[in-house]
Amino acid sequence: MPNASDPCLKLSSQPPDNHMGVSCPNGEPHRHLAAFDAQTGSVDPSFTAQADTNEGPDVAYAGVRYLYVGGNFRKVSDTPQANYRDQPGLAIYPAAG
């Protein structure tokens, strides 16, 4: 369960287009995607994936080797610099840990 007092969960305007998102204390924005520590509930600031959607993801599945995220998006990025790649509807990220 996410920690409700985590500063990474506070919505604020994000660059470059002032969309709403969250920025962690280290300055990394998260656009509709965030990872949480399963034991503490704190946001993992090393996970900086982005999705070009106003709705956010619809489903996420954590497999042994990959995290699968499905939703109403056309492009995703591994970094907050918005280096988007086409991956309509399904994003796949390597699992951590």
Side-chain angles (χ1 to χ4, degrees):
M1 170 141 239
N3 180 348
S5 64
D6 192 315
C8 297
L9 297 178
K10 307 296 182 209
L11 287 175
S12 62
S13 179
Q14 303 295 314
D17 59 359
N18 295 321
H19 65 273
M20 294 304 286
V22 294
S23 289
C24 290
N26 69 359
E28 298 294 337
H30 296 269
R31 187 167 185 176
H32 301 292
L33 298 170
F36 297 90
D37 182 294
Q39 294 181 344
T40 67
S42 295
V43 171
D44 177 357
S46 69
F47 184 82
T48 58
Q50 314 281 307
D52 71 338
T53 175
N54 291 325
E55 301 171 18
D58 295 323
V59 65
Y61 173 76
V64 174
R65 292 194 173 129
Y66 297 97
L67 169 66
Y68 303 89
V69 179
N72 186 15
F73 51 81
R74 301 227 7 103
K75 296 181 179 187
V76 296
S77 175
D78 294 334
T79 66
Q81 289 77 31
N83 300 318
Y84 287 104
R85 66 182 180 277
D86 287 329
Q87 220 170 335
L90 178 65
I92 303 170
Y93 299 98

